[in-house]
Amino acid sequence: MKLNDSLFILKRKLLKKDNIILGCVLIFLFLAIFACITSINFFICFRTSMLEAKDGNTLIIENTDDKEKLEEIENIEHVILVASKKYVDTTFVNVPQFDKDKTKYRKYMDSSITLKTFLTDNDAKIVKGSKLKNRGDMICPRKFYPYSVYIEEDVNSEFTTKFYDSLIINGDDLVGKSILATSDNKEYKFNVVGSFQNNVLEELDVCYISKEDFDMLRDDCEMYSNEECIKYNSLMVRVDNYSNVAEVEKKLQDLGFSPIRKYSYDEQTLSSMTAIPLFISSIIMVIVITIIYNFFRKKSINNQFDQGILKSLGYTKKDIISLNKLEVAIIYIITIIISFILYIIVYYFIVNAYLGEVTYSNMAVPIPMVYMLLFSLLLYGYTVLVIKTFTKKNLNMCVQKLFEE
C-alpha cells in the first residue's frame, strides 16, 4: 500500500471519537508515568549523591596528644586526612559587590558566601585556573550563587526559601578577579585563582580558601559558654570512600577511639525511597496495558466492516496491518509530544516553585529522557503486537461481515 493511499484512508479515521478519547487518556497516563520515572530516577541519583558526598566519608574522634597514636591513625588503610574538627566547619562572610537591588528581588537581599578549608585535592575538581597556591587565594564553584535561599520578607516574618535562577554566576568568569569580603567589621581581599566543578550536595555559595586564611577568619573556639571560649577538642578523619568508612571505624575502635560519623546514612531507607514511585508506576502500567488491550480488541472488532472493504478492494493482510500500525504511530507521536510539553511545563514549575533548596544544594532533579523514550518505545511495541494479533484474528471474518452488511 502506497503512503498516499494510507494517509488518505487515515485522514477520516484519526479524528474519530474513539481515537480522541484514547489520545486524551494516554496523555494523562503518560504524564503519570513520566512523573514516576522522574521520581525513581531522582531517588536513585539522590542515594548515589548521598553516598558520594565527602561529609559522609568523615569520622569525628576525640583529640589526642599521643604522636604515635596519631601516626597509627594516619597509617590506617583508606585514611586520607587527619586534622582538627575545626576544618570540617565553615565560616560566612558578606560580599557587598554581589548585593542586588532589594526592590527588584526581595528585602534583605545581601550577598554572603560560605568558606570552607581546602584540605586535599579531592575537595574540589578544578575546571579553570589553578589550585590554591598563596595566602589570599580562593576558588569558587562554576555554578555560583552567593546568596542564601533562606529569606524573610519582613523583619518579624518567618523565614521562607526562595531561589532566583537568574542570579547564578558563572564561576569561570570570576577567575583572575578579586573578591572583597567583610566579617566582624573587618575587610578581607581574596583573589579568585580557579573555579571548580560543583560538589555533590554542596551549596552553590561555597568557596574554598587555605587553612591559614581560614584560621584568620575563624578562631579555635568551637563554641562560647558565658563568653568563655571552649576550644576544639576533636579530630576529623577523612576516608577515601564511603564503602570503606565502616572498616576504618572498626580500626579506630581497636585503637581505643569512639568514632562518630559526621553524617550517618540509613542505606536501607535510601534504597527503599524508590519503592513508592515504583509501586505507583507498576499500577499505572497495568492500567495502561489493560486499556490498550481492551481498546484495540474492541476497535479491531468494530473495524471488521472497513477492513472487509479494503480486503475486497485487493489490499492484503500485510497492507491492512501496516495501515493500523501507521494509525497507532501517528496517535502515539501526537500524544507523546503533547504529554512531553505538558511534562516540561509542570516539571519547571515544580522545580522553580518548590525545589529551590534542592537546586541550591546542587542536588539535580534530572529529566530522564532515555528512560522516558525507552518506556514510550516499549509501549508502542506492545500496542503494535496487540493490533497485529487482533487484526490477524478478525481479518478472516471481515468479508463475511461485509456481506452481512
Side-chain angles (χ1 to χ4, degrees):
M1 184 182 293
K2 294 181 180 180
L3 180 60
N4 289 339
D5 293 340
S6 300
L7 294 176
F8 178 78
I9 296 171
L10 291 176
K11 188 176 181 181
R12 68 181 185 85
K13 294 180 65 178
L14 285 174
L15 295 179
K16 280 188 173 181
K17 183 179 178 180
D18 56 352
N19 283 337
I20 294 174
I21 293 173
L22 175 65
C24 293
V25 171
L26 287 179
I27 287 173
F28 173 76
L29 294 174
F30 273 141
L31 278 174
I33 287 290
F34 289 168
C36 290
I37 292 174
T38 303
S39 299
I40 293 170
N41 189 59
F42 168 75
F43 285 127
I44 291 173
C45 292
F46 179 75
R47 177 185 179 277
T48 302
S49 299
M50 290 284 280
L51 299 181
E52 287 180 354
K54 61 177 179 284
D55 282 340
N57 304 344
T58 302
L59 296 169
I60 306 299
I61 61 173
E62 55 271 31
N63 202 355
T64 177
D65 295 325
D66 191 330
K67 293 185 178 180
E68 290 185 1
K69 274 202 170 184
L70 281 174
E71 287 183 6
E72 287 185 82
I73 296 171
E74 292 171 347
N75 291 329
I76 293 176
E77 188 178 5
H78 304 303
V79 170
I80 59 174
L81 177 71
V82 180
S84 170
K85 180 179 176 290
K86 170 182 176 179
Y87 301 112
V88 177
D89 293 336
T90 61
T91 190
F92 302 91
V93 294
N94 295 319
V95 188
Q97 70 194 71
F98 294 129
D99 288 351
K100 291 296 179 183
D101 183 359
K102 298 176 184 180
T103 60
K104 181 179 180 181
Y105 293 98
R106 64 176 190 238
K107 296 181 181 180
Y108 315 114
M109 188 65 178
D110 295 329
S111 170
S112 65
I113 61 176
T114 302
L115 296 179
K116 288 186 176 183
T117 313
F118 189 82
L119 299 171
T120 70
D121 290 343
N122 293 329
D123 286 341
K125 182 181 178 181
I126 303 296
V127 291
K128 183 179 179 180
S130 64
K131 295 183 292 186
L132 304 179
K133 296 179 180 179
N134 306 305
R135 289 284 302 270
D137 285 352
M138 174 187 285
I139 56 173
C140 293
R142 170 169 278 182
K143 192 176 180 181
F144 186 41
Y145 188 84
Y147 310 96
S148 174
V149 292
Y150 303 102
I151 65 171
E152 53 179 347
E153 298 299 335
D154 291 300
V155 175
N156 298 321
S157 67
E158 294 183 359
F159 281 91
T160 58
T161 59
K162 182 67 177 179
F163 182 81
Y164 295 95
D165 190 71
S166 60
L167 293 182
I168 292 177
I169 298 172
N170 186 344
D172 292 351
D173 297 336
L174 295 176
V175 177
K177 297 180 180 179
S178 298
I179 286 180
L180 188 65
T182 61
S183 177
D184 295 330
N185 297 318
K186 295 180 181 179
E187 291 188 348
Y188 304 90
K189 184 179 180 181
F190 293 98
N191 300 312
V192 182
V193 297
S195 61
F196 61 89
Q197 190 66 43
N198 293 76
N199 292 320
V200 175
L201 294 181
E202 186 171 81
E203 290 80 3
L204 303 186
D205 70 335
V206 171
C207 291
Y208 284 87
I209 57 176
S210 66
K211 286 177 67 175
E212 293 77 13
D213 287 330
F214 191 83
D215 289 336
M216 176 178 64
L217 290 163
R218 188 179 180 104
D219 58 28
D220 292 327
C221 300
E222 184 170 11
M223 63 181 71
Y224 288 89
S225 178
N226 297 323
E227 298 185 356
E228 180 183 354
C229 169
I230 300 177
K231 292 189 174 183
Y232 285 94
N233 194 35
S234 302
L235 296 174
M236 60 168 286
V237 178
R238 182 74 57 76
V239 184
D240 58 1
N241 192 283
Y242 181 79
S243 60
N244 298 319
V245 170
E247 179 183 338
V248 173
E249 199 171 23
K250 177 66 169 59
K251 290 180 179 179
L252 287 171
Q253 290 172 347
D254 293 340
L255 290 175
F257 293 97
S258 301
I260 300 172
R261 300 191 183 196
K262 188 173 188 298
Y263 284 125
S264 184
Y265 307 134
D266 187 341
E267 293 186 54
Q268 187 174 359
T269 300
L270 289 175
S271 300
S272 63
M273 282 180 174
T274 58
I276 295 176
L278 188 60
F279 176 71
I280 295 173
S281 297
S282 301
I283 294 175
I284 295 174
M285 277 298 298
V286 171
I287 295 172
V288 171
I289 290 172
T290 304
I291 288 175
I292 289 174
Y293 181 88
N294 289 324
F295 177 85
F296 285 105
R297 179 179 62 83
K298 184 177 180 180
K299 186 179 179 68
S300 180
I301 295 172
N302 293 339
N303 285 347
Q304 284 181 359
F305 179 76
D306 292 339
Q307 291 174 1
I309 293 176
L310 293 175
K311 193 172 182 182
S312 66
L313 292 174
Y315 290 104
T316 64
K317 182 186 294 185
K318 183 179 179 181
D319 291 334
I320 296 173
I321 292 175
S322 297
L323 182 66
N324 291 338
K325 287 162 64 175
L326 181 59
E327 179 184 3
V328 172
I330 294 173
I331 293 173
Y332 261 62
I333 290 172
I334 295 173
T335 299
I336 289 174
I337 290 174
I338 295 174
S339 299
F340 187 71
I341 291 172
L342 293 175
Y343 166 83
I344 291 295
I345 293 172
V346 174
Y347 170 86
Y348 280 107
F349 172 77
I350 293 175
V351 168
N352 293 327
Y354 301 105
L355 299 180
E357 190 173 354
V358 174
T359 305
Y360 179 69
S361 299
N362 198 35
M363 179 61 241
V365 187
I367 299 177
M369 291 291 297
V370 175
Y371 298 116
M372 290 162 61
L373 180 61
L374 182 61
F375 160 76
S376 302
L377 291 174
L378 288 174
L379 195 59
Y380 174 71
Y382 167 75
T383 306
V384 168
L385 183 63
V386 170
I387 289 173
K388 197 172 181 180
T389 301
F390 284 122
T391 301
K392 284 182 177 180
K393 183 177 179 181
N394 294 316
L395 208 53
N396 294 329
M397 304 169 60
C398 290
V399 176
Q400 181 181 349
K401 182 77 173 178
L402 178 62
F403 288 139
E404 289 176 359
E405 295 290 338

